[in-house]
Amino acid sequence: MTAPKRTARRTAKPKPTPCPDCTTGQVSESFKVGTHSKRESSDRQEALCLTCFGTGQAPTP
């Protein structure tokens, strides 16, 4: 006795839309250095995207 074939297929999940600000979940931003005059550094540091909170997916309304 054989098992009947499965005919129902799973539907593929739709791909989430990427975040319009970062697409990866991280953004580069500059930072300030120094004690009193706080000059802006030419270096960049990685930070979480505040639009998607690091997920890389567009927020749902």
Side-chain angles (χ1 to χ4, degrees), residues 3-49:
K5 287 189 174 183
R6 294 175 68 181
T7 57
R9 291 188 179 193
R10 293 184 187 195
T11 58
K13 292 182 181 178
K15 290 189 177 185
T17 54
C19 177
D21 294 338
C22 65
T23 65
T24 61
Q26 291 185 343
V27 293
S28 295
E29 59 183 28
S30 61
F31 57 95
K32 295 186 178 189
V33 294
T35 54
H36 296 292
S37 59
K38 295 287 185 187
R39 64 179 176 83
E40 193 164 320
S41 174
S42 61
D43 296 329
R44 308 289 273 173
Q45 67 182 5
E46 293 291 320
L48 286 178
C49 175

